[in-house]
Amino acid sequence: MERRPQIGVQATNWALVVSYDGSDFHGFQSQLRARTVQGELSAALKRVNFAEVRVVGAGRTDSGVSAERQVVTVVGSTSLSPDELRRAMNAVLPNDIKVLWVRRAPDWFDARRSVASRVYRYTITGSEAPHPGYALPTRTAHKVDTSSWRSQLHSLIGIRDFSDLAVKVTRLRKSTIRHIIAATCWRQGREVVVEIEANAFLTRMVRLIVGGLIRFTEDKGESESPSKDAWVGGTTNRWPAPARGLMFYGVTTPGICGRRESH
């Protein structure tokens, strides 16, 4: 149930940047009898006497997906300053979620609709014991031909119907047209990092892209360069990479915040 704003304190639009380890969350969006990021944020706001109206995230991350800089809109009222609100929330939030900064936002700002682009990173590592919310333990990392992967990822850049790179498409009532702005990968020590930036993403879109690349590498080896049709929308691409390797890296929102520096 929505809480009414405090008497004498006007409801304000707030922008939060939140980081979380998604290992123990059933995604961002609130669910009945399930632990979610949105649910924890709402509970924390109530504990610091914030008269909450709504909490909206820039991306509805799936179960197990983490975030480095998830942007969240909170509409409501409080007598606290932005920094006081940040510190108060962090004092009551669990250890796997943290508010990085809080700012009063213009009335027009909405974390979901005002974001120009979203950036996801997927990390594959050869480490035996990676951080549970960050990387996927696999033997694939040392076999990856990053040059071949970059070529395949670059072929996705542009505006088109990406329904072949999503699940639950039949349930979607909205357009499956998306604009991939940038897509690349690089080796970082024993890890391989895939980064994709788009105006928006379909359900499990990034995990299906990475899953297709991983599956092809495991099946064929790095000596063969796959053609675009070998994994994009093909039978080898229907395996989504595990959620725990995926990170919501950041967003670009004119006038509010920019994305973190890319590789």
Side-chain angles (χ1 to χ4, degrees):
M1 179 181 296
E2 294 183 350
R3 300 179 66 190
R4 295 182 181 277
Q6 301 170 21
I7 297 175
V9 181
Q10 184 178 3
T12 304
N13 203 22
W14 301 77
L16 284 65
V17 172
V18 180
S19 175
Y20 53 86
D21 177 349
S23 303
D24 195 38
F25 287 110
H26 291 267
F28 181 88
Q29 195 77 1
S30 291
Q31 300 178 39
L32 187 64
R33 292 186 293 274
R35 184 171 185 256
T36 67
V37 177
Q38 188 178 47
E40 292 286 3
L41 290 174
S42 294
L45 287 165
K46 292 175 183 178
R47 291 184 65 184
V48 299
N49 297 318
F50 187 98
E52 172 201 339
V53 176
R54 65 189 180 102
V55 175
V56 178
R60 296 181 180 180
T61 51
D62 292 335
S63 295
V65 178
S66 300
E68 179 164 320
R69 293 175 66 85
Q70 167 76 276
V71 175
V72 178
T73 298
V74 175
V75 180
S77 59
T78 180
S79 59
L80 299 175
S81 69
D83 193 56
E84 288 173 337
L85 180 58
R86 177 188 63 81
R87 287 187 281 112
M89 290 186 68
N90 284 332
V92 299
L93 281 166
N95 292 332
D96 51 3
I97 180 169
K98 182 178 182 181
V99 179
L100 302 181
W101 61 253
V102 177
R103 185 179 299 177
R104 289 188 178 92
D107 292 340
W108 56 262
F109 177 67
D110 179 276
R112 180 168 295 278
R113 296 180 177 86
S114 303
V115 169
S117 68
R118 297 157 174 82
V119 182
Y120 277 90
R121 281 187 174 182
Y122 197 100
T123 302
I124 303 164
T125 181
S127 173
E128 295 297 327
H131 185 281
Y134 181 65
L136 168 71
T138 177
R139 292 176 296 179
T140 301
H142 74 280
K143 298 190 294 182
V144 171
D145 177 356
T146 53
S147 177
S148 176
W149 277 32
R150 277 194 295 271
S151 176
Q152 300 307 307
L153 289 164
H154 288 174
S155 73
L156 297 175
I157 295 174
I159 302 173
R160 73 172 179 87
D161 186 346
F162 284 95
S163 58
D164 55 342
L165 285 170
V167 298
K168 302 179 181 178
V169 172
T170 56
R171 302 181 187 179
L172 295 177
R173 297 181 180 179
K174 298 182 180 180
S175 172
T176 53
I177 303 292
R178 295 292 185 271
H179 180 195
I180 290 187
I181 300 166
T184 189
C185 73
W186 63 90
R187 192 174 293 280
Q188 188 170 283
R190 298 181 65 184
E191 300 171 341
V192 173
V193 181
V194 175
E195 181 180 277
I196 303 177
E197 178 179 4
N199 66 325
F201 291 87
L202 298 170
T203 304
R204 298 183 187 172
M205 182 172 163
V206 176
R207 290 170 57 195
L208 282 166
I209 291 172
V210 177
L213 289 167
I214 292 174
R215 179 60 58 87
F216 186 88
T217 298
E218 291 179 341
D219 290 348
K220 302 295 184 179
E222 66 176 43
S223 61
E224 298 182 37
S225 297
S227 66
K228 178 180 177 181
D229 293 337
W231 65 280
V232 178
T235 56
T236 59
N237 191 45
R238 304 317 301 168
W239 175 74
R244 61 188 174 128
L246 186 60
M247 177 79 70
F248 187 102
Y249 189 65
V251 304
T252 298
T253 305
I256 299 294
C257 60
R259 58 171 289 183
R260 294 293 300 275
E261 183 179 352
S262 178
H263 181 82

